[in-house]
């Protein structure tokens, strides 16, 4: 919108009826607020998504993104671990014979335990350290 005042041309952007914080670019002058552009991705109105900060959950509401922090449950162990790509810490566990055991817990296996992600039994390997002199003698 332009106007002439005292022989000077003054132009201003036409006011847009709807304002949103994360509009998707459009051909028109005003933003389109029926989806959200956030961290390079387009999310439809009403969609809940995980941003690059995995400890957040975000929702697209008419072109604006609202994010909240996840609330993690308190782990029931003294030394919880947070795995890469996860937000909440977990208690470390071992799996033997399809049974989970807490860190520090002991048990007597009824058969040889299986290696994680495999049907092969785990084998105990003992490492010995010898110097070159003790091998030669």
């Amino acid at each position: 919108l332009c106007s002439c005042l005292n022989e000077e041309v003054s132009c201003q952007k036409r006011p847009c009826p709807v304002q949103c914080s994360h509009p998707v670019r459009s051909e028109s002058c005003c933003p389109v607020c029926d989806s959200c552009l956030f961290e390079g991705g387009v999310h439809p109105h009403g969609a809940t998504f995980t941003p690059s900060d995995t400890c957040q959950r975000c929702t697209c509401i008419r072109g604006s993104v609202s994010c909240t922090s996840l609330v993690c449950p308190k782990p029931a162990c003294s030394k919880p671990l947070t795995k890469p790509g996860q937000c909440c810490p977990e208690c470390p566990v071992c799996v033997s014979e399809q049974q989970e055991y807490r860190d520090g817990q002991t048990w007597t296996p009824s058969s040889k335990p299986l290696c994680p992600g495999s049907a092969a039994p785990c084998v105990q390997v003992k490492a010995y350290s010898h110097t070159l002199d003790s091998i030669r003698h």
Side-chain angles (χ1 to χ4, degrees), residues 13-36:
K13 282 186 175 181
R14 183 183 319 162
C16 295
V18 179
Q19 295 293 323
C20 51
S21 61
H22 297 88
V24 175
R25 291 193 179 105
S26 70
E27 300 292 320
S28 70
C29 176
C30 292
V32 176
C33 296
D34 29 334
S35 55
C36 301

Side-chain angles (χ1 to χ4, degrees), residues 48-109:
T48 298
F49 57 95
T50 302
S52 59
D53 177 357
T54 58
C55 295
Q56 302 251 320
R57 289 296 173 271
C58 299
T59 304
C60 172
I61 306 292
R62 291 189 263 325
S64 293
V65 174
S66 173
C67 297
T68 57
S69 295
L70 285 180
V71 177
C72 296
K74 183 172 169 51
C77 58
S78 61
K79 295 180 182 177
L81 300 173
T82 303
K83 295 178 184 172
Q86 286 188 334
C87 178
C88 297
E90 297 176 342
C91 296
V93 295
C94 297
V95 178
S96 177
E97 298 173 335
Q98 299 176 350
Q99 181 75 33
E100 280 191 1
Y101 298 95
R102 293 183 317 274
D103 194 39
Q105 186 177 1
T106 59
W107 71 96
T108 303

Side-chain angles (χ1 to χ4, degrees), residues 5 41 44 64 71 75 89 101 118 121 128-129 134:
L5 186 63
S64 293
V71 177
Y101 298 95
S118 164
Y128 295 97
S129 175
S134 65

